[in-house]
């Protein structure tokens, strides 16, 4: 990670580089931060998240229940890990914790709307719709930190949005039993909130703390999901088996492991690169959705492919900087 008083690399501007954390929290990088390449960590985290939609659908619970319980159950693992991390490297600065809380509120909103999207248009298509965050995330970076947008990215935004419309079924033939209009609304709302979450987690990323920001944001997400989900769909605190089994797996794989990996990787990646790496999610989620019996129409499959290809191409670095 580069700080303001160190040489800038990879074309970053001074406004895109976070201030150096206090010495007490920056001397010892976290175990995950030392473990490997951020590219590999982000890919592994994306692979874990890609199974989330299928696990949520298999639980057969409503949006509020799935969103709240996945976060609440994850805290049973995250709280002890965060306590251990604080004892090892010291407390996380308050300004970073404030970012974690804000990110968690957005994550809770994302999870409720995304769960509703899964129930509306299916696990495979809903995960593709979530990738409107790939448009929002760099725009936030541009507004807040001055990160430049490429001309190619701007020109391809309409094409990607057309792919979203096709994937949802709003244009063409939707999957039988789905609601494409509601799917677009829920998926877009989830994607915007998700982009805000990723951006705040990237800004608040520190070298010493990996578990603590995930724990704080997950706790805030649980509270937000409890309020929003409780008012919207209600929350069933006794969904029975096998729902508990699917939700526990969702909490461990899709919430704890996935976000520990991604949180360790995002601060070291440029905004468009970090967002593009998360494209592994819709690719795998689409395949898993088909594996459990979902049958998107041909136009929806084409829309999913258009979204994935467009985002991949728009996030590629210029030819002279690919090395």
């Amino acid at each position: 990670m580069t700080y303001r008083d160190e040489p800038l690399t990879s074309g970053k501007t001074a406004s895109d580089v976070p201030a150096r954390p206090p010495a007490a929290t920056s001397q010892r990088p976290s175990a995950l931060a030392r473990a490997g390449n951020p590219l590999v960590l982000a890919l592994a985290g994306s692979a874990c998240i890609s199974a989330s939609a299928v696990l949520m659908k298999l639980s057969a619970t409503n949006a509020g229940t799935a969103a709240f319980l996945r976060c609440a159950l994850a805290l049973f693992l995250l709280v002890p890990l965060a306590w251990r991390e604080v004892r090892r490297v010291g407390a996380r600065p308050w300004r970073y914790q404030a970012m974690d809380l804000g990110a968690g509120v957005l994550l809770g909103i994302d999870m409720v709307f995304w769960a509703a999207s899964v129930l509306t248009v299916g696990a495979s298509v809903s995960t593709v719709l979530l990738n409107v965050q790939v448009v929002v995330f760099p725009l936030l970076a541009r507004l807040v930190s001055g990160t430049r947008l490429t001309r190619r990215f701007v020109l391809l935004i309409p094409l990607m949005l057309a792919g979203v419309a096709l994937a949802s079924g709003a244009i063409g033939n939707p999957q039988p039993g789905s609601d494409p209009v509601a799917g677009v609304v829920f998926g877009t709302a989830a994607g915007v909130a998700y982009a805000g979450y990723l951006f705040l987690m990237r800004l608040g990323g520190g070298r010493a703390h990996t578990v603590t920001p995930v724990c704080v944001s997950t706790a805030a997400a649980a509270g937000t999901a409890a309020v929003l989900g409780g008012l919207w769909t209600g929350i069933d605190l006794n969904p029975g088996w096998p729902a508990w089994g699917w939700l526990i797996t969702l909490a461990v794989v899709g919430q704890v492991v996935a976000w520990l990996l991604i949180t360790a990787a995002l601060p070291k990646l440029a905004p468009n690169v970090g967002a593009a790496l998360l494209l592994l999610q819709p690719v795998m989620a689409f395949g898993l959705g088909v594996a459990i019996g979902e049958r998107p129409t041909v136009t929806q499959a084409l829309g999913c492919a258009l979204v994935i290809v467009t985002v991949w191409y728009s996030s590629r670095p210029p030819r002279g900087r690919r090395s």
Side-chain angles (χ1 to χ4, degrees):
M1 189 172 181
T2 306
Y3 298 99
R4 294 188 194 274
D5 55 351
E6 296 175 356
L8 299 178
T9 59
S10 303
K12 294 181 180 179
T13 63
S15 58
D16 186 37
V17 180
R20 180 185 293 277
T25 62
S26 62
Q27 293 176 350
R28 297 179 60 189
S30 66
L32 275 178
R34 301 190 305 264
N37 191 306
L39 181 69
V40 176
L41 296 179
L43 287 173
S46 296
C48 292
I49 291 179
S50 67
S52 296
V54 170
L55 293 171
M56 199 228 82
K57 188 171 183 178
L58 290 174
S59 74
T61 55
N62 63 38
T65 299
F68 170 71
L69 287 181
R70 72 177 290 181
C71 296
L73 292 171
L75 291 174
F76 284 96
L77 291 177
L78 290 173
V79 169
L81 291 173
W83 176 256
R84 180 183 176 185
E85 182 178 75
V86 169
R87 294 189 64 182
R88 181 176 64 88
V89 300
R92 184 164 166 82
W94 283 108
R95 65 191 182 101
Y96 288 148
Q97 291 191 47
M99 292 183 188
D100 299 338
L101 287 171
V105 171
L106 292 173
L107 182 63
I109 295 172
D110 156 53
M111 286 184 175
V112 173
F113 279 107
W114 176 73
S117 180
V118 172
L119 298 174
T120 303
V121 293
S124 54
V125 174
S126 65
T127 311
V128 175
L129 294 178
L130 187 62
N131 276 269
V132 297
Q133 61 89 10
V134 181
V135 174
V136 180
F137 187 70
L139 291 177
L140 286 174
R142 173 60 177 170
L143 292 174
V144 177
S145 60
T147 303
R148 296 178 181 177
L149 301 176
T150 65
R151 180 182 179 186
R152 177 172 55 191
F153 172 82
V154 175
L155 292 176
L156 288 176
I157 287 177
L159 188 60
M160 179 190 169
L161 295 179
V164 167
L166 284 170
S168 67
I171 299 177
N173 298 317
Q175 184 179 353
S178 66
D179 186 343
V181 175
V184 169
V185 173
F186 297 153
T188 300
V192 172
Y194 187 41
Y197 166 79
L198 292 175
F199 185 72
L200 286 178
M201 291 299 283
R202 179 176 180 270
L203 284 181
R207 295 173 64 192
H209 296 92
T210 299
V211 182
T212 305
V214 176
C215 181
V216 173
S217 64
T218 299
T224 303
V227 174
L228 179 58
L231 292 175
W232 185 8
T233 65
I235 295 177
D236 183 4
L237 296 179
N238 187 24
W241 294 93
W244 276 118
W246 293 119
L247 290 172
I248 291 171
T249 304
L250 173 62
V252 174
V253 175
Q255 191 65 31
V256 178
V257 177
W259 289 114
L260 287 180
L261 292 171
I262 290 176
T263 302
L266 279 180
K268 301 179 181 179
L269 299 172
N272 61 329
V273 175
L277 287 177
L278 302 184
L279 283 178
L280 183 61
Q281 296 173 25
V283 174
M284 295 189 67
F286 192 90
L288 290 172
V290 172
I292 65 170
E294 292 184 358
R295 294 296 180 266
T297 64
V298 174
T299 54
Q300 285 181 299
L302 290 175
C304 291
L306 180 59
V307 171
I308 293 168
V309 171
T310 302
V311 174
W312 168 78
Y313 184 74
S314 68
S315 59
R316 293 176 67 200
R319 180 172 300 179
R321 291 175 53 190
R322 287 180 190 172
S323 60

